[in-house]
């Protein structure tokens, strides 16, 4: 087997079976994705709508495409018909756009709410107060074509493992808070998307249900 396939197999051996592996294929060619696919991988994450659409058209239909990067409202229409999960919902405006476009084609799109858990300023996402205000709003209550399945976050890019752990711990706390307050009877609200190549082991210890791993599978990006 090729290196990419071997990386998939060894990650699947290490990750508990209840934790889903999202293979982050951004910037990588379709040939690399096919190598992962041939090793059994079916969930791929991309951070640009245009790139995802191009790749989807060249690859098998049973791939689940996950949008993991910041999504502009004007790009929603291009992926709404096929995207399996949007990890990066970071505003009411974006959620409304996904809802409106999905409604037009009679689809329900699964979404995660992205939280800002890192100390870096540049990362997108809600605070817990902002998310609760949104979920409690009248506008939110009318959305019928999106399904909120959980939360997502990125930890600070640092060697300081205790900081990373605290941030993942906080995200898992936000998940529990939302579950208890709004989604207690909704079994579909169950995902905590956290953990990347450098920190997925800590994320799993803190309760991740979905890890998003790129460079450990495909090699470093340019
Ligand atoms: C690029 C990216 C990843 C994967 O990063 P690696 O360090 O290569 O595993 C995960 N999540 C998001 C949101 C990303 O943009």
């Amino acid at each position: 087997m090729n290196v990419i396939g071997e990386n998939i197999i060894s990650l699947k051996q290490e990750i508990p079976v209840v934790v889903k592996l999202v293979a982050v294929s951004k910037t990588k060619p379709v040939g690399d994705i096919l190598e992962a696919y041939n090793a059994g991988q079916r969930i791929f994450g991309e951070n640009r709508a245009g790139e995802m659409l191009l790749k989807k058209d060249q690859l098998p239909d049973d791939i689940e495409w996950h949008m993991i990067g910041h999504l502009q409202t004007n790009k929603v229409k291009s992926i709404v018909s096929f995207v399996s999960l949007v990890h990066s919902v970071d505003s009411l405006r974006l959620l409304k756009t996904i809802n409106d476009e999905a409604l037009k084609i009679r689809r329900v799109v699964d979404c995660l709410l992205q939280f800002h858990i890192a100390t870096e300023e540049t990362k997108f996402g809600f605070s817990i107060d902002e998310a609760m205000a949104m979920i409690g709003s009248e506008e939110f209550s009318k959305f019928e074509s999106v399904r909120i399945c959980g939360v997502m976050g990125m930890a600070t890019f640092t060697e300081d493992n205790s900081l990373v752990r605290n941030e993942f711990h906080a995200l898992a706390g936000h998940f529990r808070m939302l579950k208890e307050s709004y989604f207690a009877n909704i079994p579909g609200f169950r995902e905590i998307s956290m953990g990347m190549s450098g920190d997925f082991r800590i994320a799993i210890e803190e309760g991740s249900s979905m890890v998003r791993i790129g460079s450990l599978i495909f090699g470093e990006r340019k």
Side-chain angles (χ1 to χ4, degrees), residues 167-204:
E167 292 171 352
F168 286 149
H169 195 79
L171 184 61
H174 297 342
F175 171 84
R176 279 195 304 278
M177 173 73 136
L178 296 182
K179 181 88 187 161
E180 282 162 21
S181 307
Y182 304 102
F183 300 98
N185 300 315
I186 301 180
F189 187 87
R190 60 174 183 217
E191 304 295 353
I192 305 178
S193 167
M194 60 184 187
M196 315 190 347
S197 292
D199 56 22
F200 76 92
R201 292 180 182 90
I202 301 173
I204 289 170

Side-chain angles (χ1 to χ4, degrees), residues 72-92:
Q72 289 170 281
T73 52
N74 63 355
K75 301 285 168 59
V76 170
K77 198 184 168 89
S78 66
I79 62 167
V80 73
S81 67
F82 69 91
V83 70
S84 289
L85 181 64
V86 178
H87 291 232
S88 45
V89 171
D90 57 5
S91 69
L92 177 62

Side-chain angles (χ1 to χ4, degrees), residues 2 6-7 19 34 50 56 72 77 86 88 91-92 109 117-118 124 134 151 155 173 185 195 203 211-212:
N2 53 70
E6 281 166 5
N7 291 340
V19 176
L34 260 185
K56 175 241 177 209
Q72 289 170 281
K77 198 184 168 89
V86 178
S88 45
S91 69
L92 177 62
V109 173
I117 55 172
F124 295 98
M134 180 181 79
V151 303
N185 300 315
V211 291
R212 310 177 307 270

Side-chain angles (χ1 to χ4, degrees), residues 202-218:
I202 301 173
I204 289 170
E205 286 169 8
E206 294 300 327
S208 174
S209 71
M210 220 178 236
V211 291
R212 310 177 307 270
I213 299 183
S215 34
L216 267 187
I217 296 170
F218 297 106

Side-chain angles (χ1 to χ4, degrees), residues 92-199:
L92 177 62
R93 184 165 159 265
L94 174 59
L95 192 62
K96 178 174 170 27
T97 305
I98 299 170
N99 181 71
D100 293 351
E101 293 297 336
L103 189 63
K104 287 185 197 162
I105 59 167
R106 305 263 161 236
R107 223 189 142 217
V108 175
V109 173
D110 286 350
C111 294
L112 305 179
L113 301 180
Q114 181 170 356
F115 281 86
H116 183 275
I117 55 172
T119 55
E120 289 130 350
E121 298 257 322
T122 53
K123 286 176 185 157
F124 295 98
F126 293 102
S127 67
I128 185 64
D129 291 345
E130 290 166 345
M132 290 181 72
M134 180 181 79
I135 297 167
S137 71
E138 197 188 338
E139 191 168 18
F140 181 90
S141 70
K142 293 184 181 141
F143 294 159
E144 288 176 4
S145 292
V146 287
R147 185 172 76 133
I148 306 298
C149 298
V151 303
M152 178 271 217
M154 287 164 89
T156 303
F157 187 71
T158 174
E159 306 275 281
D160 181 353
N161 285 346
S162 69
L163 177 61
V164 170
R165 184 177 296 280
N166 285 341
E167 292 171 352
F168 286 149
H169 195 79
L171 184 61
H174 297 342
F175 171 84
R176 279 195 304 278
M177 173 73 136
L178 296 182
K179 181 88 187 161
E180 282 162 21
S181 307
Y182 304 102
F183 300 98
N185 300 315
I186 301 180
F189 187 87
R190 60 174 183 217
E191 304 295 353
I192 305 178
S193 167
M194 60 184 187
M196 315 190 347
S197 292
D199 56 22

